[in-house]
Amino acid sequence: MDLAYTEAEEEFRAGLREWLAAVLPSLPAKPGPDDWPGRRAYDTTWQRMLYDAGYAGLHWPVDAGGRGATPSQHLIFLEETEKAGAPYVGANFVGLLHAGPTIAAEGSAGQRARWLPPVLRGDEIWCQGFSEPEAGSDLASLRTRAVRDGDHYVVSGQKIWTSHAEVADWCELLVRTDPGAPRHRGISWLAMEMDAPGVTVRPLRTLAGSTEFAEMFLDEVRVPVSHRVGAENDGWRVTMVTLSFERGTAFVGEVVACRRTLAALAAGARANGRWDDPVLRRRLGRLNAEFRALWRLTQWNVSEAQRSGGVPGAGGSVFKLRYSHARQELYEAAAEVLGADSGDLDREWVLDRLSSLSYTIAAGTSQIQRNIVAERILGLPKGR
Amino acid sequence: MDFQLSDDQRALRAGARELLAGRFGRDRMRAALDSGTGLDRALWRELGEAGFFALRLPEAQGGVGLGLPEAVLLFEEAGRSLLPGPLIATHLAAGAVKGAAEGGAVVAALDAGQPVGHLGDADGLLLLGPGQARAVTAGQMLRDAVRDCAEPVRSLDPLTPLWRVTGPFGPGEPLPGGGARLRDEGALLAAAEQLGSAARTTEMAVQHAGEREQFGSPIGSFQAVKHLCAGMLVRAELARSAVYAAAVTADRAEIAGAKLLADDAAVRNARDCLQVHGGMGFTWEADVHLHLKRAWLRSGQWLTAAAAEEALAADLC
Ligand SMILES: Cc1cc2nc3c(=O)[nH]c(=O)nc-3n(C[C@H](O)[C@H](O)[C@H](O)COP(=O)(O)OP(=O)(O)OC[C@H]3O[C@@H](n4cnc5c(N)ncnc54)[C@H](O)[C@@H]3O)c2cc1C
């Protein structure tokens, strides 16, 4: 049991640091939250820079276009990019963190060759079309139908809460291909082109005032059968792979961001005199313990995955549960530090406080995560 | 980086668990509870032979030559099994107080303003002042001093007799390493015991939830119960990574965080375990109250939540 990185890992870190210091100043200014074309351009530019320097798809298998780096190296990458203030994955989130890994794990050679390189180069953006108005937590009750017509599926239905739908080129789409089969058995995983005829995207306004996600209406959209990943009606299993990536590793970099924010809160509190309040001070101290431990838990999970060499396990749910609540508490503390300024929407922490409300909902609510922990890790009986 | 137990560490932990199951299984624990007798000296010596106290002494001094991570694994097992006695103080005094390393001597810890556990059985005392830590070792002198300047308290934890100290003890010998280091290590080992207890009460709750039936189903199929259990596991696992990382780094802030989270996990998991047990949980027969009482005591020892939070706040600046 150690926390020391190997010499090779430290070399990798040093090279990455040097590169970040050299390239970050050349990044254009960050666009506003509702400037979607601007955000897409910014995120894909950054992805292209990573690609050109050989840092894209770092931990993806080599035959999927990645560098086959160890999970430890990936951790270093997330730590260093976050520390250096490099852009977050942003609009590349779905492509890089779950659609891509799913295609790498479950797709055919042709599918991997078609879809993975453009994700790594930042040429194509993906979104996730899983949730429906009547199928959120109960994802397996989804109704969007795909009817076979020759070598195409004809897809009709409605998706909702689709992040980045406005700028996406592709959608990882869950559809029902066998309405007669038991719920979990009649689902397939498709890659759908967002500019296909019959796809309509209608932005939804979030409580933070932005248009983070959208509704998606599908009216007889034709999707080639060859765009199905995994076997027909085997989409649920493929989806579980996707979700384990989503919960297992997707939030790791953000823990580093939280630690940075916490240090900034302490500095802010000292500057405006709030630090003298022992209740607030101790609250920040407790959050320090939380985020330190969450980082250690991450290292623990990554080391475990490194040893077993597989898909991240249900331990991702343990992390996600604690992290999402801790992050909300972080912004509650931020509001206390801000005091009278906590009503000023132009303050970064105020907007972040609003955004943080989604953490216990998106990617599986806390209640659903607790069910997973209780049933899959602790082995408690399924409820009705 | 390989932040997982090594094979040797797994073997050490399994060995400790086996030893404790054999020598201090539930029957023994309940027997000790019922008889109310003092420390089991024979068991203490066996712990000494198994390396509990001399674990971190260099081999040249007759120790095992292992480090904090290994000590943490042993103390985690001690916490699981509710093993009583001033294990931490004796471990810290190994090499400095005669007989401590071998399990021949029992060393209690005196922290200014705190009641002292197991003082009546002590052959030596660890004095934790604000500055230097000191050891008082003289057997008969110590017993005289206890008679003159300490009185027994009716203890919350039936397996941890407490004494209130009313007067000053002798000056004692300065210990190598100083007070701050000993206090940090004590806090870390106490955190390890809390972790063991938190993991154990999680198991107890899960087991009961799988067996007890109400409304025609195991209560563990009800979400309200299920979510209590899931919360327990999350607390225990977060505490585990904090405690293990603190053992590897021996960093002060890291130790403070580990103690804070492990205290929280031990106390809250015991409470939730009690809730899952229903009326049974409120009985003397169920072990859960013993975990809770010990966890409460440990929360006040070595490093309190208030002090840990202040240390972690200072670390942010
Ligand atoms: C910011 C954001 C971005 C998102 N992005 C995407 C995206 O890109 N693609 C996508 O497909 N989806 C996306 N989602 C959807 C997200 O996955 C769902 O919102 C989530 O799974 C919950 O589903 P729901 O909203 O239908 O709520 P519901 O399922 O209706 O849940 C409502 C409440 O009931 C509780 N509940 C439901 N079932 C149970 C149960 N069995 N036991 C206990 N409690 C239960 C929930 O915990 C919740 O508190 C996003 C959501 C947010 C907030």
Side-chain angles (χ1 to χ4, degrees):
Chain A
M1 183 164 69
D2 69 53
L3 286 160
Y5 290 94
T6 64
E7 214 171 290
E9 286 164 347
E10 287 301 350
E11 245 169 61
F12 169 78
R13 184 196 298 276
L16 175 59
R17 259 193 202 161
E18 208 174 297
W19 178 73
L20 286 167
V23 302
L24 283 180
S26 68
L27 261 186
K30 217 175 162 163
D34 273 332
D35 173 8
W36 278 101
R39 282 179 65 172
R40 178 186 162 124
Y42 181 83
D43 294 340
T44 53
T45 299
W46 169 240
Q47 185 58 31
R48 182 65 198 217
M49 286 162 74
L50 288 171
Y51 180 82
D52 288 341
Y55 288 118
L58 197 61
H59 62 303
W60 289 18
V62 175
D63 64 358
R67 277 180 57 179
T70 62
S72 283
Q73 280 177 314
H74 184 216
L75 208 61
I76 292 172
F77 173 80
L78 293 168
E79 192 179 8
E80 291 301 325
T81 44
E82 181 53 54
K83 270 190 189 158
Y88 184 55
V89 278
N92 293 305
F93 185 88
V94 172
L96 281 172
L97 298 178
H98 45 104
T102 304
I103 293 166
E106 299 287 334
S108 66
Q111 290 174 333
R112 287 150 66 125
R114 166 62 190 88
W115 286 314
L116 297 181
V119 167
L120 294 184
R121 280 197 306 265
D123 289 345
E124 290 180 351
I125 297 285
W126 284 67
C127 63
Q128 180 190 37
F130 283 12
S131 305
E132 297 182 6
E134 304 301 326
S137 300
D138 185 13
L139 187 56
S141 70
L142 63 92
R143 291 189 199 153
T144 293
R145 289 195 47 179
V147 181
R148 191 85 174 243
D149 177 22
D151 50 9
H152 279 81
Y153 289 110
V154 179
V155 180
S156 294
Q158 187 191 342
K159 294 289 173 178
I160 196 166
W161 320 128
T162 319
S163 303
H164 305 126
E166 282 183 86
V167 293
D169 305 290
W170 290 91
C171 177
E172 52 169 1
L173 190 73
L174 287 189
V175 295
R176 188 161 296 286
T177 31
D178 182 357
R183 292 173 357 123
H184 295 86
R185 304 251 176 79
I187 294 172
S188 298
W189 196 107
L190 303 182
M192 180 185 78
E193 261 174 301
M194 291 297 284
D195 62 3
V199 178
T200 309
V201 171
R202 200 159 71 198
L204 291 164
R205 199 168 151 87
T206 72
L207 55 72
S210 63
T211 54
E212 200 68 40
F213 46 33
E215 289 179 293
M216 204 161 62
F217 299 90
L218 306 172
D219 182 18
E220 306 209 330
V221 183
R222 293 183 73 81
V223 178
V225 171
S226 62
H227 287 189
R228 189 190 67 229
V229 173
E232 189 169 272
N233 299 327
D234 192 29
W236 186 254
R237 192 188 54 76
V238 181
T239 302
M240 290 302 107
V241 174
T242 309
L243 293 182
S244 71
F245 280 110
E246 181 171 8
R247 287 165 196 159
T249 47
F251 298 98
V252 169
E254 297 188 46
V255 177
V256 186
C258 287
R259 293 190 62 180
R260 273 210 324 195
T261 303
L262 187 58
L265 287 186
R270 279 156 66 91
N272 71 9
R274 295 286 288 124
W275 190 251
D276 297 335
D277 174 355
V279 176
L280 175 63
R281 203 170 57 230
R282 286 182 51 185
R283 192 168 173 183
L284 295 177
R286 186 169 275 268
L287 282 166
N288 188 9
E290 279 290 323
F291 288 111
R292 276 173 173 277
L294 281 164
W295 178 245
R296 297 315 191 186
L297 179 62
T298 301
Q299 291 177 311
W300 181 263
N301 288 344
V302 164
S303 292
E304 192 176 34
Q306 190 150 324
R307 279 195 181 189
S308 67
V311 170
S317 290
V318 172
F319 173 84
K320 203 240 173 198
L321 261 172
R322 190 79 181 215
Y323 161 76
S324 55
H325 290 269
R327 187 151 188 187
Q328 290 178 350
E329 279 167 33
L330 175 70
Y331 291 111
E332 292 309 304
E336 277 213 38
V337 173
L338 285 171
D341 285 340
S342 66
D344 178 355
L345 202 50
D346 281 330
R347 302 296 290 255
E348 194 185 350
W349 293 336
V350 178
L351 203 55
D352 289 343
R353 185 186 189 193
L354 292 177
S355 299
S356 77
L357 296 170
S358 75
Y359 292 121
T360 47
I361 299 170
T365 69
S366 289
Q367 283 70 34
I368 295 300
Q369 303 301 329
R370 286 190 193 100
N371 287 350
I372 292 172
V373 169
E375 289 167 11
R376 292 201 215 142
I377 302 181
L378 296 177
L380 284 169
K382 272 202 176 317
R384 275 151 298 153
Chain B
M1 182 195 61
D2 182 25
F3 188 38
Q4 292 278 302
L5 300 193
S6 68
D7 290 343
D8 286 348
Q9 287 168 336
R10 276 175 210 281
L12 180 79
R13 186 172 66 175
R17 189 170 295 187
E18 203 176 314
L19 170 84
L20 290 174
R23 280 298 277 113
F24 197 71
R26 179 160 196 274
D27 293 350
R28 289 289 174 85
M29 189 271 287
R30 295 303 302 203
L33 184 65
D34 294 341
S35 67
T37 50
L39 265 180
D40 179 345
R41 290 273 174 173
L43 174 57
W44 204 254
R45 199 158 282 115
E46 271 184 63
L47 292 172
E49 279 161 20
F52 247 86
F53 307 119
L55 191 78
R56 291 189 300 136
L57 274 189
E59 288 178 49
Q61 291 175 43
V64 189
L66 292 173
L68 270 179
E70 286 77 20
V72 152
L73 296 175
L74 289 191
F75 280 81
E76 183 184 340
E77 292 306 315
R80 275 181 74 86
S81 68
L82 280 167
L83 187 64
L87 293 158
I88 297 175
T90 306
H91 175 94
L92 293 177
V97 172
K98 199 162 161 290
E102 302 79 38
V106 172
V107 182
L110 195 165
D111 194 354
Q114 291 279 332
V116 187
H118 304 277
L119 186 59
D121 281 308
D123 306 304
L125 255 191
L126 205 61
L127 303 174
L128 293 165
Q132 186 77 0
R134 289 163 297 138
V136 178
T137 54
Q140 191 50 47
M141 252 166 67
L142 178 61
R143 275 185 275 283
D144 293 346
V146 167
R147 199 190 48 226
D148 295 341
C149 35
E151 59 192 35
V153 176
R154 220 161 74 85
S155 175
L156 164 76
D157 172 11
L159 285 166
T160 308
L162 289 179
W163 297 69
R164 186 175 292 120
V165 173
T166 52
F169 278 84
E173 297 289 322
L175 280 176
R181 183 185 61 82
L182 286 182
R183 188 179 287 282
D184 282 349
E185 291 181 358
L188 175 62
L189 297 176
E193 291 185 333
Q194 297 286 54
L195 166 63
S197 175
R200 181 68 194 123
T201 49
T202 305
E203 286 170 15
M204 287 158 58
V206 169
Q207 184 176 357
H208 186 73
E211 288 167 358
R212 170 73 172 167
E213 291 196 2
Q214 288 293 310
F215 302 95
S217 300
I219 56 170
S221 68
F222 304 129
Q223 205 172 52
V225 173
K226 209 175 258 185
H227 285 193
L228 279 181
C229 294
M232 292 168 75
L233 181 85
V234 171
R235 272 184 225 122
E237 290 309 304
L238 192 73
R240 179 182 308 284
S241 15
V243 170
Y244 289 1
V248 170
T249 61
D251 172 84
R252 298 204 78 176
E254 202 91 22
I255 289 175
K259 179 68 163 50
L260 190 64
L261 294 176
D263 283 347
D264 192 57
V267 169
R268 293 182 61 190
N269 282 13
R271 297 185 69 138
D272 286 352
C273 179
L274 199 152
Q275 182 69 21
V276 168
H277 277 76
M280 174 69 87
F282 195 66
T283 66
W284 188 265
E285 243 350 272
D287 293 344
V288 54
H289 69 106
L290 300 171
H291 278 282
L292 179 56
K293 289 165 177 172
R294 190 79 59 85
W296 271 335
L297 280 195
R298 281 195 209 103
S299 297
Q301 292 165 346
W302 299 102
L303 185 64
T304 62
E309 285 169 350
E310 286 289 4
L312 286 154
D315 171 66
L316 288 171
C317 298

